[in-house]
Amino acid sequence: MPNRSQKRKYFQPKQGQDKRPKREELVPGMSGFLISCSQGNEVRCVREAYDILNEYMDIEMSKPEDGSGGRNSEDLKPVATAETPLSTKTEPEAPEDDAEKALAAEMAEFRTGAGIEERKARFKAIDSGCSNLVFISSAVTDPCRFAFDILSDIHKSGKGRARYMQRLFPVVATCRADLESVKKTASTALTKYFTPPESKSYLILYKARNSASALGRDSIIEVVGGVIKAINPECTANLSDPDYAVSVDIIKTMCCISVFRDFSKLKKYNIHVEEVQAPGHSRVKEETKGKNGDTRSEILDRLNEVESTKAESDKSQAVAEAEQPNGKPNHTVPAASFFATTEVLSTTTVEAI
């Protein structure tokens, strides 16, 4: 009969046969979204992020590419044209009124798995190197605009879209955590947001996690601020309500540079805060009325008055009993009360039997 040690060795994976999938690590040159969550909910946060990001990507793909508020073709994958068709297969257009055929075609596409691989290729979870943080790599060239659309919709609707996601960081570039790499990467990534002649205000944020790097807050603010001034000398710092906020997050030996638009107006891109503090929406329920038309607060006030009156009556009765000699309770009652019940006119006070 095998002993306990032999059983343990039997169930342990052999060397080189560990089948647990390992995520890719964060490397320089990546862009995407850095998402914070509570500890232990990283896997749920990834699933939730996939749903939201793919939903907005589908919306972007469905918008007309006509240049009038439509989608930006640089932010998405190439579409088929007459000169460069992506596929030789042509499908007849279904009439708009034939909803059943359109639904059947969509269900057939879902059963065959067509389009699933494309959705998986849009976003990919990467090991950020820190708990409570999830990095989603993406091919979107402007994560700042993409995240701004998501948070703007949440702010306008006042409805929360996430349970495990807390904050959404649109990472425009990643590099090594040293001053030279940060300066070079920031000068390339921040050019499109601070190009002259428009004068824009900015805010620089800094956060270090699981890092022993010598980079400090003052050095990062000095380097990134110098890069912004070199791009556009008319830009000014604004700590309360900046046009753009630049966040530099150091995670182990990597540096993530994020750009936020309307950082203060969108509650620092905190999804949970948007659900509570959105304008025109409140989580307080309306007061329900009782049978007599009284609201809940009026009924509670009336109950409080009754309880306070009863407490005063009990207190006065206890004082009266304490004043009696030999500790005997006083059984005498006012004459008016006694006469009202017995209708007998006699002395001013009587002794109750």
Side-chain angles (χ1 to χ4, degrees):
M1 183 176 181
N3 54 24
R4 185 175 299 176
S5 177
Q6 291 176 342
K7 290 182 179 179
R8 189 183 302 112
K9 291 181 180 180
Y10 176 79
F11 287 105
Q12 286 180 351
K14 296 181 181 180
Q15 186 176 3
Q17 295 183 357
D18 191 358
K19 297 182 180 180
R20 292 176 296 180
K22 295 183 179 180
R23 292 180 179 174
E24 297 182 11
E25 296 183 354
L26 190 62
V27 296
M30 287 185 173
S31 63
F33 304 93
L34 190 66
I35 305 170
S36 63
C37 63
S38 58
Q39 190 171 5
N41 291 321
E42 289 82 2
V43 176
R44 298 183 180 92
C45 179
V46 170
R47 295 173 183 170
E48 201 169 58
Y50 280 161
D51 294 338
I52 296 177
L53 295 176
N54 277 309
E55 177 185 347
Y56 277 85
M57 181 60 77
D58 292 337
I59 295 174
E60 291 290 334
M61 295 292 292
S62 62
K63 290 181 180 179
E65 195 174 5
D66 54 359
S68 59
R71 78 178 190 213
N72 187 357
S73 58
E74 296 179 356
D75 296 340
L76 305 172
K77 296 185 177 181
V79 295
T81 60
E83 291 79 11
T84 58
L86 296 181
S87 176
T88 58
K89 183 179 179 180
T90 59
E91 296 181 357
E93 295 184 358
E96 296 180 356
D97 56 345
D98 197 352
E100 295 182 358
K101 291 184 179 180
L103 181 60
E106 186 176 353
M107 292 299 297
E109 182 181 356
F110 177 77
R111 293 191 186 96
T112 56
I116 296 178
E117 296 298 330
E118 180 183 355
R119 290 172 64 90
K120 289 182 179 180
R122 295 175 180 175
F123 307 100
K124 187 176 183 180
I126 304 295
D127 185 11
S128 64
C130 180
S131 59
N132 305 352
L133 281 179
V134 173
F135 188 87
I136 305 294
S137 177
S138 173
V140 177
T141 58
D142 194 358
C144 176
R145 184 192 61 82
F146 199 86
F148 175 77
D149 292 341
I150 297 175
L151 270 296
S152 296
D153 290 347
I154 295 176
H155 180 72
K156 292 177 182 178
S157 64
K159 297 180 181 179
R161 294 295 312 275
R163 179 179 179 183
Y164 304 102
M165 298 171 60
Q166 294 179 352
R167 292 183 65 187
L168 185 65
F169 295 75
V171 180
V172 297
T174 57
C175 62
R176 294 291 180 184
D178 59 82
L179 287 178
E180 292 297 328
S181 299
V182 172
K183 183 176 181 180
K184 182 179 179 181
T185 305
S187 60
T188 305
L190 302 180
T191 302
K192 65 161 61 175
Y193 305 105
F194 298 98
T195 52
E198 296 182 3
S199 177
K200 298 178 181 179
S201 58
Y202 65 90
L203 168 67
I204 301 175
L205 306 172
Y206 171 82
K207 182 74 174 181
R209 303 176 178 88
N210 296 351
S211 175
S213 176
L215 295 179
R217 183 185 302 272
D218 297 336
S219 59
I220 289 294
I221 292 176
E222 181 180 357
V223 169
V224 178
V227 169
I228 296 175
K229 285 291 186 180
I231 297 173
N232 188 354
E234 300 297 329
C235 293
T236 57
N238 189 344
L239 303 182
S240 59
D241 189 13
D243 295 328
Y244 287 100
V246 180
S247 176
V248 180
D249 295 272
I250 308 296
I251 305 175
K252 288 187 175 180
T253 60
M254 296 300 301
C255 173
C256 298
I257 301 177
S258 307
V259 179
F260 303 87
R261 179 182 169 187
D262 292 344
F263 183 70
S264 300
K265 295 178 182 178
L266 296 180
K267 312 302 180 184
K268 301 181 180 180
Y269 280 53
N270 192 322
I271 298 179
H272 288 180
V273 172
E274 291 299 329
E275 181 181 358
V276 179
Q277 299 182 358
H281 296 269
S282 176
R283 303 183 75 177
V284 180
K285 295 182 179 180
E286 297 181 356
E287 290 188 335
T288 56
K289 296 184 177 181
K291 296 181 179 180
N292 298 328
D294 298 333
T295 61
R296 183 173 180 270
S297 59
E298 293 176 351
I299 297 174
L300 291 177
D301 293 340
R302 195 176 297 113
L303 290 176
N304 291 333
E305 292 178 0
V306 173
E307 291 179 357
S308 61
T309 304
K310 183 179 179 182
E312 292 178 358
S313 176
D314 295 342
K315 183 178 180 181
S316 60
Q317 183 178 358
V319 172
E321 292 178 356
E323 292 178 352
Q324 292 297 321
N326 300 327
K328 294 182 179 180
N330 183 14
H331 295 289
T332 60
V333 296
S337 176
F338 182 81
F339 292 155
T341 55
T342 60
E343 298 182 355
V344 177
L345 297 176
S346 58
T347 58
T348 57
T349 57
V350 295
E351 186 173 332
I353 301 174

